Amino acid sequence: MFIMKRGATGFVSNVIRSFSTHHVNRGVSGNVLKSLAAVVGDKNVSNSETVREQHGKDESCHKACPPDLVVWPNSTEQVSEVAKICSAHHLPMIPFGAGTGLEGGTVALSGGVSIDMKNMSDIHSFHPDDFDATVQAGVSRLTLNEHIKDCGLWFPVDPGADATLCGMAATSASGTNAVRYGTMRENVMNLEVVLANGTIINTAGRDRRTRKTSAGYNLTNLFVGSEGTLGIITKATVRLYPLPESMTSAVCTFPTAKAAIDTTVMVMQCGISIARIEYLNDTAISCANRYSNMELKAVPTLFFEFHGSSVGIEQQMEQVADIVAANDGSDYEFAVEMEKRNKLWKARHNLYYATRAWMPNHNTYMTDVCVPISHLAEVILSAEDDILKNDVKSTTVGHVGDGNFHCSMLMTPDDEDQNRTVVEIADRMARHALSLNGTCTGEHGIGIGKKNLLTVEFSEDEISVMKSLKSTLDPVGLMNPGKIFI
């Protein structure tokens, strides 16, 4: 059990307050509203309370802090003009994609203008021979995959939700396929970004889309994971991959969580080229059974997916079967047909909603950490033991092939003691991961929920460098203020 360190108590109180506090917005003058409407059109500006509430939250348990105004630009040039107006009037700017984030990244802590990118929905260019595509900020991953599938290509980074690709870049998202195909950090080749003062830049140079470069600083990866605090991403050029010749999914169960996780580590150590390997604990399986009409045994379980040739997949499955047997796994079943595979992975992707449906009148605190896979069993078992000892209802799932897992803990909205307990569990889990050379977030980002933990993961000097970059690009602090840094 990891003890809460000095200073963490105040952090816990702040997080709990963020579940229920609406921050006071400063308001936008009529002249500013008219100026913005002149850029994007009257129908693309709204100060409706309902619209503002929708844009002041994401899928986390942090309560909505609405912006003062929402705008829907139609082009990069319009985003640039909006930024110039906001900069001139010192108005905060909060980029908004699909609203599927989990750390309060779109919460408008200081009011300001929410810049909704949904109207920028063009696939700007597609180069099948070069395996890349450039998309505007409103294009989602499913939209891109539907557009390119007839060319035998796909974009495999899959966080579960149908998030926008530029939003995924902003949070350095990953998901179930990351163990084979990598995260957004490895799959973004270039970004078009509007800075706080309206300047438009291309992080790898205008229209550049090479597979590698040694020219200049790596500005692309500076903006990947910046959570809207450095600029507004308006286009992304991403890598594409050939659709696999064959895909097969598998499920197997284990007597203990340790046996399931040990299997994962052994599969990775044997160099088996697996596409997905996901861990679900017993409560996660029970929720999936109820929500997705599955009939799986409610015990620690691994979901696998294999990509490649039929012969290659058969060899991989046999290798995994031997490892599963060595760890007392059972019920090793395969799904080759697309319908069965889709049902299995839909159930996995819907686990967050399945957890919420378990106790509908509760809030869901979802957190993630990532560790070197040799430490994965220790951290997951410790977290599950902490959750059990504190009598918290929770599910655990993980992209365990790359050491990343998530706990979704349920809490009664008005029970401050229970809310505090949940936040403390999440804090201990993150600190345990950090003590084992891990990170406090593998894919959700820092947002407003993990700002305190950033100061544990990075030294004061390292954070000072980050803040210097931030103040160079955004000297007034208008880009998504109140996120990442304390």
Side-chain angles (χ1 to χ4, degrees):
M1 182 72 67
F2 277 69
I3 305 301
M4 190 77 65
K5 295 191 177 180
R6 185 173 297 176
T9 303
F11 160 69
V12 170
S13 298
N14 289 337
V15 172
I16 292 171
R17 281 196 295 272
S18 79
F19 298 159
S20 58
T21 301
H22 289 259
H23 294 254
V24 178
N25 293 341
R26 300 180 302 178
V28 174
S29 71
N31 288 336
V32 171
L33 196 152
K34 289 178 182 178
S35 297
L36 291 170
V39 172
V40 300
D42 290 339
K43 68 178 182 179
N44 290 320
V45 180
S46 177
N47 58 6
S48 155
E49 182 177 352
T50 300
V51 171
R52 292 189 300 108
E53 287 283 342
Q54 291 170 345
H55 286 77
K57 63 181 179 180
D58 55 13
E59 292 196 356
S60 70
C61 58
H62 302 288
K63 289 285 187 180
C65 297
D68 300 302
L69 203 65
V70 180
V71 298
W72 291 266
N74 293 291
S75 67
T76 299
E77 292 70 27
Q78 287 188 0
V79 175
S80 173
E81 292 303 314
V82 167
K84 290 175 183 177
I85 293 167
C86 290
S87 183
H89 293 85
H90 286 195
L91 288 171
M93 292 169 269
I94 306 97
F96 189 93
T100 55
L102 291 164
E103 288 295 348
T106 58
V107 173
L109 296 174
S110 303
V113 179
S114 175
I115 303 173
D116 189 323
M117 313 301 284
K118 77 172 184 179
N119 288 352
M120 297 176 61
S121 56
D122 288 342
I123 295 173
H124 181 263
S125 63
F126 170 41
H127 304 97
D129 293 341
D130 295 325
F131 299 94
D132 67 66
T134 300
V135 301
Q136 286 189 310
V139 176
S140 72
R141 63 178 187 87
L142 291 182
T143 299
L144 176 62
N145 279 332
E146 182 66 24
H147 182 82
I148 66 178
K149 68 178 182 181
D150 290 342
C151 294
L153 299 174
W154 72 319
F155 181 73
V157 181
D158 178 6
D162 188 22
T164 62
L165 291 161
C166 289
M168 289 165 60
T171 56
S172 192
S174 53
T176 57
N177 286 315
V179 65
R180 176 159 182 168
Y181 297 99
T183 71
M184 289 301 288
R185 199 170 291 280
E186 292 79 44
N187 285 288
V188 175
M189 303 165 69
N190 200 351
L191 294 170
E192 180 184 77
V193 181
V194 175
L195 302 181
N197 65 1
T199 299
I200 302 169
I201 67 167
N202 292 273
T203 58
R206 186 176 177 85
D207 297 329
R208 308 296 173 199
R209 48 186 184 85
T210 54
R211 306 294 284 187
K212 62 182 182 179
T213 177
S214 295
Y217 293 151
N218 189 343
L219 295 180
T220 301
N221 274 351
L222 174 63
F223 283 90
V224 173
S226 61
E227 303 185 40
T229 63
L230 300 180
I232 304 161
I233 299 173
T234 52
K235 280 183 195 164
T237 300
V238 296
R239 298 173 184 262
L240 306 177
Y241 294 79
L243 280 166
E245 176 187 325
S246 299
M247 296 184 186
T248 299
S249 297
V251 178
C252 60
T253 60
F254 295 87
T256 64
K258 187 175 187 304
I261 299 161
D262 287 346
T263 297
T264 300
V265 175
M266 290 176 67
V267 167
M268 301 306 298
Q269 290 174 336
C270 288
I272 299 170
S273 184
I274 200 143
R276 308 194 215 196
I277 180 166
E278 296 285 303
Y279 167 76
L280 294 84
N281 75 344
D282 53 352
T283 55
I285 293 293
S286 295
C287 287
N289 285 341
R290 287 190 296 268
Y291 189 83
S292 300
N293 296 315
M294 305 293 284
E295 295 180 353
L296 300 171
K297 188 185 298 184
V299 294
T301 300
L302 290 178
F303 288 3
F304 299 95
E305 188 160 273
F306 306 90
H307 293 176
S309 67
S310 298
V311 173
I313 286 176
E314 188 173 338
Q315 292 173 342
Q316 292 170 18
M317 291 192 301
E318 288 175 359
Q319 290 175 297
V320 170
D322 290 341
I323 295 171
V324 168
N327 287 285
D328 299 321
S330 58
D331 304 315
Y332 190 38
E333 299 179 358
F334 306 102
V336 179
E337 299 85 357
M338 182 181 291
E339 183 179 350
K340 290 183 179 179
R341 286 192 292 106
N342 287 346
K343 183 177 181 181
L344 181 71
W345 291 108
K346 185 176 181 181
R348 165 60 188 91
H349 286 321
N350 284 339
L351 230 299
Y352 176 67
Y353 306 106
T355 302
R356 293 174 63 174
W358 179 13
M359 303 180 78
N361 296 321
H362 288 61
N363 287 336
T364 306
Y365 190 104
M366 188 177 190
T367 190
D368 85 305
V369 300
C370 187
V371 294
I373 61 170
S374 60
H375 295 304
L376 187 60
E378 177 184 343
V379 179
I380 289 182
L381 294 173
S382 174
E384 291 189 343
D385 181 61
D386 199 1
I387 289 166
L388 186 64
K389 285 180 178 178
N390 283 282
D391 195 28
V392 172
K393 303 296 184 186
S394 175
T395 57
T396 303
V397 299
H399 317 310
V400 285
D402 49 22
N404 183 208
F405 74 98
H406 312 253
C407 291
S408 296
M409 295 175 278
L410 294 163
M411 53 192 188
T412 306
D414 298 327
D415 188 338
E416 188 167 321
D417 288 340
Q418 186 184 56
N419 290 354
R420 183 180 299 277
T421 296
V422 166
V423 175
E424 288 174 346
I425 291 170
D427 189 80
R428 285 193 291 268
M429 187 171 84
R431 291 174 184 273
H432 191 178
L434 290 167
S435 75
L436 297 172
N437 310 114
T439 175
C440 67
T441 175
E443 57 185 16
H444 292 177
I446 296 295
I448 60 177
K450 292 191 172 182
K451 294 191 291 185
N452 190 66
L453 291 164
L454 191 75
T455 65
V456 182
E457 184 158 342
F458 291 93
S459 72
E460 186 175 329
D461 288 339
E462 291 156 355
I463 290 178
S464 178
V465 171
M466 295 184 200
K467 288 182 176 180
S468 295
L469 290 167
K470 163 76 169 170
S471 59
T472 297
L473 295 169
D474 179 23
V476 185
L478 299 178
M479 296 305 311
N480 209 6
K483 313 298 164 53
I484 299 184
F485 304 115
I486 293 176

